[in-house]
């Protein structure tokens, strides 16, 4: 039997307003509230609500035979709570069916896994708590921002107790192998790795409404025929895509929502297929081998690497400058600053700075609020400069803290020495410090006596020499 794992990613950044150099130090609010509210309301009505209704109807109709998985970033959850709480309610209704799984990711949809391990783990822990409080589930499977994966990242995820992780079925990872099997991390074999079939996933996510695509129009029957063409031994087909595929990236007019209604039932009607969630797949299917991924991969673009976010000097400077503040963040208790820290880490800010997309007309250009990558960089760095100043002002002077700690340590040691000396006196033992003082005093007395004797001898010799000189003169 072939297993179909259908997973959707949900994330929207909090967009920054136009923040100029002269705003630094004068205005500490960074966000374009109008743009953010408009964007969330648009997505709620074109994608989230209608697509959730379709999935809920499919789950109820097929009675345990249809299941899906989601990950929702903490940043998007914050915006939904403010602008469209009805969307969260619709996801709760899906969670109540027990056929929908919510998996973990970084709360900020950040690049922390590539820059700071402690911040990476902190965000995962925060997101686990968020999912549990909102949907009543504790995730056992993890997906990283933009499906970024490497051997080291997988090792960190395994050490946090996760049983499985999603990753891109990139050519540089698989070589001649197929993505349609279960794999495991090479250093932590207990972590199972589910690889995205990007050919089939992108046929829906990227190419569905493209009328110049040779396979257009895509129907449920045509898609199932492609599934039928896979080898019988292939155990799992992972269809991972952005949730905005349905109704936003591809409008309802092109038939994408009708396709979603038809596809699950077309597959379910063939008994050789079954839908499965990531946690059930991880517990049921054994890995065929380990995969070796020394360099990070992603689902970002054709290269399937991380150059969409770290491909030029601007991007690297912005990311490095941001994560240099991590040690100060650990000492900060200002809730407003900590919330800004979360929002400024979103990977989208660095994606907007990518020059390779700008050169060829841009990928996801409709989501980019900047005219050029350079505008994105300047705007972000202005915001980051102001944020850095606020952070440093909010954290106590580190040097003064260290001096105070050293003084307290010296006082403590002096008190301990004094206490030990008193105990030695009671025991009839002369403390070393007092014995040293007596020895020093004796040495000083002897030295003074020797010096005085030397002076007396010198004076006597001088007198004798004077008398002898006078006699010789006479």
């Amino acid at each position: 039997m072939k297993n179909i794992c259908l997973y959707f990613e949900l994330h929207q950044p909090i967009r920054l307003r136009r923040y100029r150099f002269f705003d630094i130090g004068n205005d500490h609010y960074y966000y374009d509230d109008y743009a953010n509210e408009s964007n969330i309301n648009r997505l709620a009505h074109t994608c989230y609500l209608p697509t959730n209704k379709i999935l809920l109807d499919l789950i109820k109709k097929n009675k345990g035979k249809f299941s899906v998985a989601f990950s929702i970033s903490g940043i998007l959850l914050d915006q939904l709570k403010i602008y469209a709480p009805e969307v969260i309610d619709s996801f709760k209704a899906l969670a109540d069916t027990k056929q929908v799984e919510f998996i973990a990711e970084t709360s900020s949809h950040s690049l922390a896994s590539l820059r700071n391990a402690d911040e990476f783990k902190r965000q995962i822990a925060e997101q686990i708590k968020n999912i549990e409080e909102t949907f009543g589930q504790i995730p056992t499977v993890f997906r990283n921002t933009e499906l970024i994966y490497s051997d080291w990242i997988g090792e960190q995820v395994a050490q946090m107790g996760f049983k499985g992780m999603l990753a891109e079925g990139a050519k540089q990872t698989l070589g001649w192998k197929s993505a349609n099997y279960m794999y495991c991390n090479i250093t932590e074999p207990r972590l199972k790795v589910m690889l995205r079939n990007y050919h089939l996933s992108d046929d829906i996510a990227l190419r569905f409404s493209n009328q110049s695509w040779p396979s257009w129009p895509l129907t449920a029957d045509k898609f199932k025929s492609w599934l039928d063409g896979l080898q019988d031994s292939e155990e799992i087909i992972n269809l991972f895509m952005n949730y905005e595929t349905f109704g936003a990236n591809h409008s309802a007019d092109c038939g994408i929502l009708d396709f979603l209604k038809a596809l699950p039932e077309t597959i379910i009607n063939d008994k050789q297929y079954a839908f499965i969630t990531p946690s059930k797949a991880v517990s049921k299917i054994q890995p065929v081998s380990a995969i070796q991924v020394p360099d990070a991969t992603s689902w970002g673009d054709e290269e399937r690497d991380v150059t969409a976010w770290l491909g030029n000097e601007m991007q690297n400077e912005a990311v490095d400058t941001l994560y240099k503040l991590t040690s100060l963040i650990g000492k900060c208790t200002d809730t407003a600053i900590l919330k800004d820290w979360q929002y400024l880490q979103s990977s989208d800010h660095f994606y907007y700075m990518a020059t390779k997309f700008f050169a060829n007309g841009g990928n996801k250009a409709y989501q980019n609020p900047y005219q050029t990558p350079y505008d994105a960089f300047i705007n972000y760095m202005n915001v980051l400069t102001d944020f850095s100043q606020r952070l440093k002002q909010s954290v106590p002077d580190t040097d003064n803290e260290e001096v105070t700690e050293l003084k307290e340590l010296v006082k403590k040691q002096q008190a301990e020495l004094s206490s030990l000396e008193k105990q030695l006196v009671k025991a009839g033992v002369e403390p070393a410090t007092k014995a040293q003082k007596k020895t020093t005093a004796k040495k000083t007395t002897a030295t003074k006596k020797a010096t005085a004797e030397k002076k007396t001898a010198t004076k006597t010799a001088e007198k004798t020499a004077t008398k002898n000189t006078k006699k010789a003169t006479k």
Side-chain angles (χ1 to χ4, degrees):
M1 177 176 284
K2 288 187 174 67
N3 297 282
I4 309 293
C5 183
L6 192 58
Y7 153 77
F8 303 116
E9 175 225 22
L10 287 93
H11 164 70
Q12 286 295 314
I14 291 187
R15 287 157 175 76
L16 303 177
R17 70 176 181 86
R18 183 66 66 180
Y19 195 86
R20 305 183 185 282
F21 175 80
F22 296 104
D23 292 326
I24 299 172
N26 297 312
D27 190 340
H28 306 313
Y29 194 77
Y30 311 133
Y31 312 112
D32 188 337
D33 290 337
Y34 176 78
N36 290 317
E37 182 176 6
S38 300
N39 182 57
I40 295 300
N41 285 330
R42 175 182 64 84
L43 290 172
H45 292 97
T46 60
C47 173
Y48 301 153
L49 291 173
T51 310
N52 280 1
K53 185 179 184 304
I54 290 171
L55 295 180
L56 185 61
D57 291 343
L58 285 168
I59 290 170
K60 290 179 177 179
K61 184 178 180 180
N62 290 284
K63 298 178 180 179
K65 294 182 180 180
F66 178 62
S67 58
V68 296
F70 294 98
S71 71
I72 308 178
S73 72
I75 292 180
L76 177 56
L77 282 174
D78 283 353
Q79 295 183 84
L80 291 175
K81 289 173 184 176
I82 297 171
Y83 303 126
E86 65 275 18
V87 173
I88 293 181
D89 291 337
S90 69
F91 277 111
K92 287 181 178 179
L94 286 170
D96 290 341
T97 66
K98 308 300 181 185
Q99 293 296 116
V100 173
E101 178 178 343
F102 291 89
I103 65 177
E105 72 156 83
T106 55
S107 59
S108 298
H109 199 78
S110 73
L111 302 177
S113 63
L114 301 173
R115 283 297 188 269
N116 190 286
D118 291 336
E119 177 64 17
F120 178 53
K121 292 177 180 179
R122 185 199 68 77
Q123 287 188 31
I124 296 173
E126 181 180 326
Q127 187 66 359
I128 291 173
K129 181 181 178 182
N130 212 348
I131 292 172
E132 184 178 8
E133 291 176 351
T134 308
F135 304 113
Q137 296 185 13
I138 300 176
T140 58
V141 176
F142 177 75
R143 69 87 65 182
N144 197 13
T145 304
E146 304 297 339
L147 232 59
I148 294 172
Y149 177 85
S150 71
D151 296 333
W152 182 86
I153 293 172
E155 184 179 352
Q156 304 304 304
V157 170
Q159 291 172 3
M160 292 191 72
F162 287 99
K163 296 178 180 178
M165 183 171 176
L166 311 189
E168 176 71 355
K171 291 179 182 178
Q172 60 264 42
T173 298
L174 288 169
W176 57 268
K177 299 176 184 176
S178 168
N180 303 326
Y181 294 95
M182 184 71 74
Y183 294 90
C184 65
N185 179 268
I186 193 166
T187 54
E188 288 281 1
R190 58 183 171 164
L191 181 79
K192 295 181 180 179
V193 182
M194 301 174 64
L195 298 178
R196 173 178 179 257
N197 185 316
Y198 67 84
H199 292 292
L200 291 174
S201 299
D202 289 347
D203 284 340
I204 301 172
L206 299 183
R207 293 181 277 274
F208 185 87
S209 60
N210 182 2
Q211 296 186 20
S212 63
W213 178 38
S215 295
W216 184 89
L218 180 59
T219 64
D221 289 330
K222 183 185 291 185
F223 192 86
K224 183 182 174 296
S225 71
W226 295 342
L227 296 177
D228 293 340
L230 298 173
Q231 295 182 14
D232 292 339
S233 61
E234 294 179 303
E235 298 176 282
I236 185 166
I237 299 96
N238 296 313
L239 303 176
F240 304 162
M241 62 197 78
N242 191 304
Y243 202 42
E244 284 81 33
T245 295
F246 303 97
N249 298 351
H250 302 285
S251 69
D253 295 340
C254 75
I256 189 75
L257 297 182
D258 294 327
F259 173 81
L260 181 61
K261 291 176 185 177
L263 181 63
E265 291 189 329
T266 303
I267 293 173
I268 290 169
N269 289 336
D270 188 335
K271 293 183 179 180
Q272 69 169 317
Y273 296 103
F275 282 93
I276 194 169
T277 59
S279 62
K280 288 182 179 178
V282 164
S283 64
K284 176 183 175 183
I285 304 173
Q286 294 303 312
V288 294
S289 71
I291 53 168
Q292 189 168 4
V293 190
D295 300 316
T297 59
S298 78
W299 70 358
D301 51 38
E302 288 299 321
E303 285 84 2
R304 316 284 173 191
D305 56 18
V306 296
T307 55
W309 306 273
L310 296 171
N312 62 45
E313 291 183 7
M314 293 186 298
Q315 292 170 309
N316 279 281
E317 181 180 346
V319 172
D320 290 342
T321 303
L322 175 69
Y323 283 105
K324 282 179 182 176
L325 302 174
T326 308
S327 59
L328 288 177
I329 284 291
K331 300 173 184 176
C332 180
T333 58
D334 187 312
T335 55
I337 290 177
L338 293 175
K339 184 58 72 174
D340 289 338
W341 169 251
Q342 179 182 351
Y343 294 160
L344 291 176
Q345 288 188 72
S346 176
S347 64
D348 306 77
H349 300 307
F350 314 109
Y351 187 90
Y352 299 149
M353 302 175 194
T355 49
K356 64 178 182 178
F357 302 135
F358 178 67
N360 64 15
N363 187 25
K364 300 183 182 178
Y366 58 89
Q367 295 181 0
N368 194 332
Y370 302 98
Q371 291 186 344
T372 71
Y374 312 102
D375 291 337
F377 173 73
I378 292 170
N379 201 67
Y380 183 82
M381 294 306 289
N382 285 343
V383 169
L384 193 57
T385 300
D386 183 81
F387 174 78
S388 176
Q389 291 177 0
R390 288 170 57 215
L391 175 60
K392 290 175 182 177
Q393 290 170 3
S394 73
V395 175
D397 191 327
T398 305
D399 294 335
N400 288 345
E401 279 188 344
E402 290 177 355
V403 170
T404 301
E405 288 175 1
L406 287 172
K407 286 181 178 178
E408 291 297 324
L409 181 61
V410 169
K411 286 181 180 179
K412 185 178 179 181
Q413 290 177 341
Q414 287 176 340
E416 289 177 354
L417 286 171
S418 177
S419 175
L420 289 171
E421 285 181 358
K422 289 178 182 178
Q423 292 177 24
L424 288 171
V425 170
K426 287 181 180 180
V429 180
E430 189 176 35
T433 52
K434 290 185 177 179
Q436 288 173 355
K437 287 180 181 178
K438 288 184 178 180
T439 302
T440 303
K442 287 179 180 179
K443 287 181 178 180
T444 302
T445 302
T447 302
K448 287 180 178 178
K449 185 177 180 181
T451 303
E453 290 176 351
K454 186 176 180 181
K455 286 182 179 179
T456 302
T458 302
K459 287 181 180 179
T460 303
E462 287 176 351
K463 286 180 180 180
T464 303
T466 302
K467 286 180 181 180
N468 290 337
T469 301
K470 288 181 178 178
K471 286 181 181 181
T473 303
K474 287 178 180 179

